[in-house]
Amino acid sequence: MFYRFLTVTLLLLVVLIGCSNESPSNGNTSAVDTTGRPDSEVSGARINLYDGGRVTTEIVAEKITQFEAQDSTMAYNLDIQSYDSLGQLNSVITGDSALIREQTGLFVIYGHVVVATADSTQLETELLHWNPKTDRIYTDAFVRIIRPDAIARGWGFEADQRIKSYKILHRVSGEADTYEKP
C-alpha cells in the first residue's frame, strides 16, 4: 500500500512539474523565441512550377528551408530546369544556394552559378537574379559567357533566360574564333 501511495504521489509530482506555466528558461523568453526557426524544412526536394497544366520549371534542391513570415525560402545545392511551351528543355541553372521570394516569384542564386542553355551557351557568375515570370536573368557581378565560338567577360549582365539576347554592362572583354572560309 505504501509503494502504491508513493508511486501515485511521484506521478502527480511529475505531471504538475511537466505542466507548469514557467518556461524552461526561467523567464528568459529569448531561449524559446521561434522567429529564427524555419516554418518548414525539406531534404531532397523536387518542386514543379506550372502554367496551366504544363510544367514550366523543375527545381531540385538538397535542402529547402521556408520562413513564411519573412516571405523567404532558402534552397541549397540546387538545380533548376526550365522548359518551353512544347516541354523542351530551355536551360539549366545550378548554384550553391538561392533565396526565393514566393510573393513575387523572384529568385536570387548564389555561389558557383552556372546557366547552361540548349544551344551550348554557358553563363558563369557568383550571383544571379532570375524572374521566371518575365523570363529575365540579371546581375551586377562579374560574368563569363562561353559559346562554341566565343568567350565574353564583364561586369553586370542582362538577358533572357535562354541567353539568346544579352547585354554585358561594364568592362567588356572577350575572344572569338575567327577563320576564313574556303
Side-chain angles (χ1 to χ4, degrees), residues 19-75:
C19 293
S20 130
N21 286 335
E22 298 245 352
S23 74
S25 61
N26 296 328
N28 182 0
T29 58
S30 65
V32 292
D33 187 11
T34 60
T35 57
R37 287 188 177 158
D39 295 300
S40 61
E41 192 171 280
V42 178
S43 295
R46 181 179 303 270
I47 299 169
N48 290 326
L49 305 179
Y50 293 89
D51 183 10
R54 168 181 78 78
V55 174
T56 60
T57 308
E58 180 181 59
I59 303 167
V60 177
E62 185 175 294
K63 178 179 169 183
I64 294 179
T65 307
Q66 184 178 33
F67 301 87
E68 289 180 19
Q70 291 87 16
D71 184 32
S72 297
T73 300
M74 289 297 301

Short mmCIF file of all heavy atoms in Angstrom, two decimals, residues 19-75:
data_model
loop_
_atom_site.label_atom_id
_atom_site.label_comp_id
_atom_site.label_asym_id
_atom_site.label_seq_id
_atom_site.Cartn_x
_atom_site.Cartn_y
_atom_site.Cartn_z
N CYS A 19 3.59 20.23 -16.35
CA CYS A 19 2.53 21.11 -16.84
C CYS A 19 2.65 22.52 -16.30
O CYS A 19 1.75 23.32 -16.40
CB CYS A 19 1.16 20.55 -16.46
SG CYS A 19 0.79 19.01 -17.29
N SER A 20 3.73 22.85 -15.70
CA SER A 20 3.91 24.18 -15.13
C SER A 20 3.90 25.24 -16.21
O SER A 20 4.28 25.01 -17.34
CB SER A 20 5.21 24.18 -14.33
OG SER A 20 6.01 25.24 -14.64
N ASN A 21 3.46 26.45 -15.87
CA ASN A 21 3.41 27.57 -16.82
C ASN A 21 4.75 28.25 -16.98
O ASN A 21 4.91 29.12 -17.80
CB ASN A 21 2.38 28.60 -16.35
CG ASN A 21 0.97 28.13 -16.59
OD1 ASN A 21 0.74 27.30 -17.47
ND2 ASN A 21 0.04 28.63 -15.80
N GLU A 22 5.71 27.90 -16.18
CA GLU A 22 7.03 28.50 -16.26
C GLU A 22 7.76 28.00 -17.49
O GLU A 22 7.69 26.83 -17.83
CB GLU A 22 7.85 28.15 -15.03
CG GLU A 22 7.25 28.67 -13.76
CD GLU A 22 8.12 29.71 -13.12
OE1 GLU A 22 9.25 29.90 -13.59
OE2 GLU A 22 7.65 30.34 -12.17
N SER A 23 8.45 28.88 -18.17
CA SER A 23 9.24 28.44 -19.31
C SER A 23 10.52 27.79 -18.79
O SER A 23 10.99 28.13 -17.71
CB SER A 23 9.58 29.63 -20.22
OG SER A 23 10.55 30.43 -19.63
N PRO A 24 11.11 26.90 -19.57
CA PRO A 24 12.32 26.24 -19.12
C PRO A 24 13.50 27.20 -19.01
O PRO A 24 14.52 26.86 -18.47
CB PRO A 24 12.56 25.18 -20.19
CG PRO A 24 11.76 25.60 -21.36
CD PRO A 24 10.65 26.43 -20.84
N SER A 25 13.34 28.40 -19.50
CA SER A 25 14.45 29.35 -19.48
C SER A 25 14.40 30.26 -18.26
O SER A 25 15.07 31.26 -18.21
CB SER A 25 14.43 30.19 -20.76
OG SER A 25 13.20 30.91 -20.81
N ASN A 26 13.53 29.93 -17.26
CA ASN A 26 13.39 30.73 -16.05
C ASN A 26 13.03 32.16 -16.35
O ASN A 26 13.63 33.10 -15.85
CB ASN A 26 14.66 30.67 -15.18
CG ASN A 26 14.91 29.27 -14.67
OD1 ASN A 26 13.95 28.53 -14.44
ND2 ASN A 26 16.16 28.91 -14.52
N GLY A 27 12.04 32.36 -17.24
CA GLY A 27 11.58 33.69 -17.56
C GLY A 27 12.30 34.33 -18.73
O GLY A 27 11.91 35.38 -19.19
N ASN A 28 13.37 33.77 -19.23
CA ASN A 28 14.10 34.32 -20.35
C ASN A 28 13.45 33.84 -21.64
O ASN A 28 13.68 32.73 -22.07
CB ASN A 28 15.57 33.90 -20.27
CG ASN A 28 16.40 34.49 -21.39
OD1 ASN A 28 15.88 35.21 -22.23
ND2 ASN A 28 17.68 34.18 -21.39
N THR A 29 12.61 34.68 -22.25
CA THR A 29 11.85 34.25 -23.43
C THR A 29 12.71 34.14 -24.67
O THR A 29 12.31 33.50 -25.63
CB THR A 29 10.70 35.24 -23.71
OG1 THR A 29 11.25 36.54 -23.88
CG2 THR A 29 9.68 35.22 -22.59
N SER A 30 13.90 34.71 -24.69
CA SER A 30 14.74 34.59 -25.89
C SER A 30 15.20 33.16 -26.12
O SER A 30 15.52 32.79 -27.23
CB SER A 30 15.94 35.54 -25.81
OG SER A 30 16.78 35.14 -24.74
N ALA A 31 15.24 32.36 -25.07
CA ALA A 31 15.67 30.97 -25.22
C ALA A 31 14.64 30.14 -25.97
O ALA A 31 14.96 29.12 -26.54
CB ALA A 31 15.96 30.34 -23.87
N VAL A 32 13.37 30.57 -25.96
CA VAL A 32 12.32 29.83 -26.66
C VAL A 32 11.76 30.63 -27.83
O VAL A 32 10.73 30.30 -28.36
CB VAL A 32 11.18 29.42 -25.69
CG1 VAL A 32 11.66 28.41 -24.71
CG2 VAL A 32 10.58 30.63 -25.00
N ASP A 33 12.42 31.70 -28.22
CA ASP A 33 11.99 32.51 -29.35
C ASP A 33 12.09 31.71 -30.63
O ASP A 33 13.13 31.15 -30.95
CB ASP A 33 12.88 33.76 -29.43
CG ASP A 33 12.40 34.74 -30.48
OD1 ASP A 33 11.28 34.57 -30.98
OD2 ASP A 33 13.16 35.68 -30.77
N THR A 34 10.99 31.66 -31.38
CA THR A 34 10.97 30.83 -32.59
C THR A 34 11.08 31.66 -33.87
O THR A 34 10.92 31.11 -34.96
CB THR A 34 9.67 30.01 -32.64
OG1 THR A 34 8.56 30.91 -32.65
CG2 THR A 34 9.58 29.06 -31.48
N THR A 35 11.34 32.95 -33.79
CA THR A 35 11.39 33.77 -35.01
C THR A 35 12.53 33.37 -35.93
O THR A 35 12.46 33.59 -37.12
CB THR A 35 11.51 35.27 -34.67
OG1 THR A 35 12.66 35.47 -33.86
CG2 THR A 35 10.27 35.77 -33.97
N GLY A 36 13.59 32.80 -35.39
CA GLY A 36 14.71 32.37 -36.22
C GLY A 36 14.55 30.96 -36.76
O GLY A 36 15.35 30.52 -37.58
N ARG A 37 13.52 30.29 -36.31
CA ARG A 37 13.30 28.91 -36.77
C ARG A 37 12.50 28.90 -38.07
O ARG A 37 11.60 29.70 -38.26
CB ARG A 37 12.50 28.14 -35.73
CG ARG A 37 13.26 27.78 -34.52
CD ARG A 37 12.40 26.87 -33.69
NE ARG A 37 13.08 26.42 -32.52
CZ ARG A 37 12.46 25.98 -31.45
NH1 ARG A 37 11.15 25.93 -31.43
NH2 ARG A 37 13.15 25.57 -30.42
N PRO A 38 12.81 27.95 -38.94
CA PRO A 38 12.02 27.84 -40.17
C PRO A 38 10.63 27.28 -39.89
O PRO A 38 10.42 26.56 -38.91
CB PRO A 38 12.83 26.86 -41.02
CG PRO A 38 13.65 26.09 -40.06
CD PRO A 38 13.91 26.99 -38.90
N ASP A 39 9.68 27.63 -40.74
CA ASP A 39 8.34 27.08 -40.64
C ASP A 39 8.30 25.65 -41.18
O ASP A 39 7.52 24.84 -40.72
CB ASP A 39 7.34 27.94 -41.42
CG ASP A 39 7.22 29.32 -40.79
OD1 ASP A 39 6.83 29.40 -39.62
OD2 ASP A 39 7.53 30.31 -41.48
N SER A 40 9.13 25.40 -42.17
CA SER A 40 9.24 24.04 -42.70
C SER A 40 10.63 23.85 -43.29
O SER A 40 11.29 24.79 -43.68
CB SER A 40 8.17 23.77 -43.75
OG SER A 40 8.31 24.65 -44.84
N GLU A 41 11.04 22.59 -43.32
CA GLU A 41 12.34 22.23 -43.86
C GLU A 41 12.20 20.88 -44.55
O GLU A 41 11.61 19.96 -44.00
CB GLU A 41 13.34 22.15 -42.71
CG GLU A 41 14.76 22.08 -43.14
CD GLU A 41 15.70 22.22 -41.96
OE1 GLU A 41 15.92 23.36 -41.53
OE2 GLU A 41 16.20 21.19 -41.49
N VAL A 42 12.71 20.80 -45.77
CA VAL A 42 12.61 19.58 -46.55
C VAL A 42 13.98 19.22 -47.09
O VAL A 42 14.69 20.08 -47.60
CB VAL A 42 11.62 19.76 -47.73
CG1 VAL A 42 11.54 18.51 -48.57
CG2 VAL A 42 10.25 20.18 -47.24
N SER A 43 14.34 17.96 -47.01
CA SER A 43 15.58 17.48 -47.61
C SER A 43 15.23 16.68 -48.86
O SER A 43 14.22 15.98 -48.89
CB SER A 43 16.33 16.58 -46.63
OG SER A 43 16.75 17.33 -45.52
N GLY A 44 16.06 16.80 -49.88
CA GLY A 44 15.83 16.06 -51.12
C GLY A 44 14.56 16.51 -51.82
O GLY A 44 13.74 15.68 -52.20
N ALA A 45 14.39 17.81 -52.00
CA ALA A 45 13.14 18.36 -52.55
C ALA A 45 13.15 18.40 -54.07
O ALA A 45 14.18 18.64 -54.70
CB ALA A 45 12.92 19.76 -52.01
N ARG A 46 11.99 18.19 -54.65
CA ARG A 46 11.74 18.35 -56.08
C ARG A 46 10.42 19.10 -56.21
O ARG A 46 9.38 18.61 -55.79
CB ARG A 46 11.66 17.00 -56.78
CG ARG A 46 11.42 17.09 -58.28
CD ARG A 46 11.36 15.72 -58.94
NE ARG A 46 12.56 14.95 -58.70
CZ ARG A 46 13.64 14.95 -59.49
NH1 ARG A 46 13.66 15.69 -60.57
NH2 ARG A 46 14.69 14.20 -59.20
N ILE A 47 10.48 20.32 -56.78
CA ILE A 47 9.31 21.18 -56.88
C ILE A 47 9.08 21.51 -58.36
O ILE A 47 10.02 21.88 -59.06
CB ILE A 47 9.52 22.49 -56.09
CG1 ILE A 47 9.73 22.15 -54.61
CG2 ILE A 47 8.35 23.43 -56.28
CD1 ILE A 47 10.20 23.32 -53.79
N ASN A 48 7.85 21.40 -58.80
CA ASN A 48 7.49 21.77 -60.17
C ASN A 48 6.64 23.02 -60.15
O ASN A 48 5.73 23.15 -59.33
CB ASN A 48 6.70 20.64 -60.85
CG ASN A 48 7.55 19.44 -61.14
OD1 ASN A 48 8.74 19.57 -61.43
ND2 ASN A 48 6.98 18.26 -61.06
N LEU A 49 6.95 23.97 -61.06
CA LEU A 49 6.13 25.16 -61.26
C LEU A 49 5.33 24.94 -62.54
O LEU A 49 5.86 24.43 -63.52
CB LEU A 49 7.01 26.40 -61.39
CG LEU A 49 7.97 26.68 -60.24
CD1 LEU A 49 8.78 27.93 -60.53
CD2 LEU A 49 7.25 26.79 -58.92
N TYR A 50 4.06 25.34 -62.52
CA TYR A 50 3.15 25.08 -63.64
C TYR A 50 2.60 26.35 -64.23
O TYR A 50 2.43 27.36 -63.55
CB TYR A 50 1.98 24.22 -63.17
CG TYR A 50 2.35 22.82 -62.76
CD1 TYR A 50 2.73 22.53 -61.46
CD2 TYR A 50 2.32 21.79 -63.68
CE1 TYR A 50 3.08 21.25 -61.09
CE2 TYR A 50 2.66 20.50 -63.31
CZ TYR A 50 3.04 20.24 -62.02
OH TYR A 50 3.38 18.96 -61.66
N ASP A 51 2.28 26.29 -65.51
CA ASP A 51 1.49 27.30 -66.19
C ASP A 51 0.33 26.54 -66.80
O ASP A 51 0.50 25.83 -67.79
CB ASP A 51 2.31 28.01 -67.27
CG ASP A 51 1.53 29.11 -67.96
OD1 ASP A 51 0.43 29.46 -67.48
OD2 ASP A 51 2.01 29.62 -68.99
N GLY A 52 -0.83 26.64 -66.18
CA GLY A 52 -1.93 25.77 -66.57
C GLY A 52 -1.59 24.36 -66.15
O GLY A 52 -1.22 24.10 -65.02
N GLY A 53 -1.64 23.41 -67.07
CA GLY A 53 -1.29 22.04 -66.76
C GLY A 53 0.11 21.67 -67.19
O GLY A 53 0.51 20.51 -67.10
N ARG A 54 0.90 22.64 -67.65
CA ARG A 54 2.22 22.38 -68.21
C ARG A 54 3.32 22.77 -67.22
O ARG A 54 3.29 23.84 -66.63
CB ARG A 54 2.32 23.21 -69.49
CG ARG A 54 3.64 23.34 -70.12
CD ARG A 54 3.57 24.22 -71.38
NE ARG A 54 3.51 25.64 -71.10
CZ ARG A 54 4.55 26.38 -70.75
NH1 ARG A 54 5.73 25.83 -70.62
NH2 ARG A 54 4.43 27.66 -70.53
N VAL A 55 4.30 21.87 -67.05
CA VAL A 55 5.44 22.16 -66.19
C VAL A 55 6.34 23.17 -66.91
O VAL A 55 6.77 22.94 -68.03
CB VAL A 55 6.25 20.88 -65.86
CG1 VAL A 55 7.51 21.22 -65.07
CG2 VAL A 55 5.40 19.89 -65.09
N THR A 56 6.60 24.29 -66.25
CA THR A 56 7.50 25.30 -66.83
C THR A 56 8.89 25.21 -66.22
O THR A 56 9.87 25.54 -66.87
CB THR A 56 6.96 26.72 -66.59
OG1 THR A 56 6.83 26.94 -65.19
CG2 THR A 56 5.61 26.90 -67.26
N THR A 57 8.95 24.78 -64.95
CA THR A 57 10.21 24.76 -64.23
C THR A 57 10.21 23.61 -63.23
O THR A 57 9.19 23.35 -62.58
CB THR A 57 10.41 26.08 -63.46
OG1 THR A 57 10.24 27.17 -64.35
CG2 THR A 57 11.77 26.16 -62.81
N GLU A 58 11.36 22.95 -63.13
CA GLU A 58 11.54 21.93 -62.12
C GLU A 58 12.73 22.34 -61.27
O GLU A 58 13.81 22.61 -61.79
CB GLU A 58 11.80 20.56 -62.75
CG GLU A 58 12.00 19.47 -61.73
CD GLU A 58 12.27 18.12 -62.37
OE1 GLU A 58 13.25 18.02 -63.13
OE2 GLU A 58 11.50 17.20 -62.10
N ILE A 59 12.53 22.39 -59.96
CA ILE A 59 13.58 22.80 -59.02
C ILE A 59 13.93 21.59 -58.16
O ILE A 59 13.05 21.01 -57.52
CB ILE A 59 13.12 23.96 -58.13
CG1 ILE A 59 12.68 25.15 -58.98
CG2 ILE A 59 14.21 24.35 -57.14
CD1 ILE A 59 11.93 26.21 -58.22
N VAL A 60 15.18 21.21 -58.18
CA VAL A 60 15.67 20.11 -57.34
C VAL A 60 16.70 20.72 -56.39
O VAL A 60 17.61 21.42 -56.83
CB VAL A 60 16.31 18.99 -58.19
CG1 VAL A 60 16.87 17.90 -57.30
CG2 VAL A 60 15.30 18.42 -59.17
N ALA A 61 16.52 20.46 -55.09
CA ALA A 61 17.44 21.01 -54.10
C ALA A 61 17.75 19.97 -53.04
O ALA A 61 16.90 19.15 -52.70
CB ALA A 61 16.84 22.25 -53.44
N GLU A 62 18.97 20.04 -52.54
CA GLU A 62 19.37 19.13 -51.46
C GLU A 62 18.56 19.42 -50.20
O GLU A 62 18.17 18.52 -49.48
CB GLU A 62 20.86 19.32 -51.18
CG GLU A 62 21.44 18.37 -50.19
CD GLU A 62 22.93 18.57 -50.07
OE1 GLU A 62 23.65 18.30 -51.05
OE2 GLU A 62 23.37 18.99 -48.98
N LYS A 63 18.29 20.72 -49.97
CA LYS A 63 17.54 21.11 -48.78
C LYS A 63 16.81 22.41 -49.07
O LYS A 63 17.37 23.31 -49.72
CB LYS A 63 18.51 21.30 -47.61
CG LYS A 63 17.88 21.75 -46.33
CD LYS A 63 18.97 21.87 -45.26
CE LYS A 63 18.48 22.58 -44.04
NZ LYS A 63 19.56 22.75 -43.06
N ILE A 64 15.58 22.53 -48.59
CA ILE A 64 14.80 23.76 -48.71
C ILE A 64 14.27 24.11 -47.32
O ILE A 64 13.70 23.27 -46.64
CB ILE A 64 13.64 23.62 -49.70
CG1 ILE A 64 14.19 23.43 -51.12
CG2 ILE A 64 12.71 24.83 -49.64
CD1 ILE A 64 13.14 23.26 -52.18
N THR A 65 14.49 25.37 -46.92
CA THR A 65 14.05 25.87 -45.63
C THR A 65 13.15 27.07 -45.88
O THR A 65 13.55 28.00 -46.55
CB THR A 65 15.26 26.28 -44.77
OG1 THR A 65 16.17 25.19 -44.70
CG2 THR A 65 14.84 26.67 -43.38
N GLN A 66 11.93 27.05 -45.30
CA GLN A 66 10.96 28.10 -45.56
C GLN A 66 10.68 28.91 -44.30
O GLN A 66 10.46 28.35 -43.22
CB GLN A 66 9.66 27.50 -46.07
CG GLN A 66 8.63 28.54 -46.46
CD GLN A 66 7.37 27.91 -47.00
OE1 GLN A 66 6.97 26.83 -46.58
NE2 GLN A 66 6.74 28.58 -47.93
N PHE A 67 10.70 30.26 -44.46
CA PHE A 67 10.37 31.20 -43.40
C PHE A 67 9.19 32.03 -43.91
O PHE A 67 9.37 33.03 -44.60
CB PHE A 67 11.56 32.11 -43.08
CG PHE A 67 12.79 31.37 -42.64
CD1 PHE A 67 13.70 30.88 -43.57
CD2 PHE A 67 13.03 31.15 -41.30
CE1 PHE A 67 14.84 30.20 -43.16
CE2 PHE A 67 14.16 30.48 -40.88
CZ PHE A 67 15.06 30.00 -41.80
N GLU A 68 7.97 31.61 -43.60
CA GLU A 68 6.77 32.24 -44.16
C GLU A 68 6.63 33.70 -43.78
O GLU A 68 6.27 34.52 -44.61
CB GLU A 68 5.53 31.45 -43.76
CG GLU A 68 5.42 30.12 -44.45
CD GLU A 68 4.20 29.33 -44.04
OE1 GLU A 68 3.24 29.93 -43.51
OE2 GLU A 68 4.19 28.12 -44.27
N ALA A 69 6.89 34.05 -42.53
CA ALA A 69 6.70 35.43 -42.07
C ALA A 69 7.61 36.41 -42.82
O ALA A 69 7.26 37.56 -43.01
CB ALA A 69 6.95 35.53 -40.56
N GLN A 70 8.77 35.96 -43.26
CA GLN A 70 9.70 36.81 -43.99
C GLN A 70 9.58 36.64 -45.50
O GLN A 70 10.37 37.21 -46.24
CB GLN A 70 11.15 36.50 -43.58
CG GLN A 70 11.52 36.91 -42.18
CD GLN A 70 11.18 35.83 -41.17
OE1 GLN A 70 10.95 34.69 -41.51
NE2 GLN A 70 11.13 36.20 -39.91
N ASP A 71 8.61 35.84 -45.97
CA ASP A 71 8.46 35.54 -47.39
C ASP A 71 9.81 35.12 -47.97
O ASP A 71 10.24 35.59 -49.01
CB ASP A 71 7.89 36.74 -48.16
CG ASP A 71 7.65 36.42 -49.63
OD1 ASP A 71 7.32 35.25 -49.95
OD2 ASP A 71 7.83 37.32 -50.47
N SER A 72 10.47 34.23 -47.27
CA SER A 72 11.79 33.78 -47.67
C SER A 72 11.87 32.26 -47.65
O SER A 72 11.51 31.64 -46.64
CB SER A 72 12.87 34.33 -46.73
OG SER A 72 12.91 35.73 -46.77
N THR A 73 12.34 31.72 -48.74
CA THR A 73 12.64 30.30 -48.81
C THR A 73 14.07 30.18 -49.27
O THR A 73 14.47 30.80 -50.24
CB THR A 73 11.69 29.59 -49.79
OG1 THR A 73 10.34 29.77 -49.33
CG2 THR A 73 12.00 28.11 -49.89
N MET A 74 14.86 29.39 -48.55
CA MET A 74 16.25 29.14 -48.92
C MET A 74 16.36 27.74 -49.49
O MET A 74 15.81 26.80 -48.93
CB MET A 74 17.17 29.27 -47.70
CG MET A 74 17.35 30.68 -47.18
SD MET A 74 18.14 31.80 -48.35
CE MET A 74 19.70 31.01 -48.66
N ALA A 75 17.06 27.64 -50.61
CA ALA A 75 17.32 26.34 -51.23
C ALA A 75 18.83 26.16 -51.31
O ALA A 75 19.56 27.11 -51.59
CB ALA A 75 16.70 26.28 -52.62
#
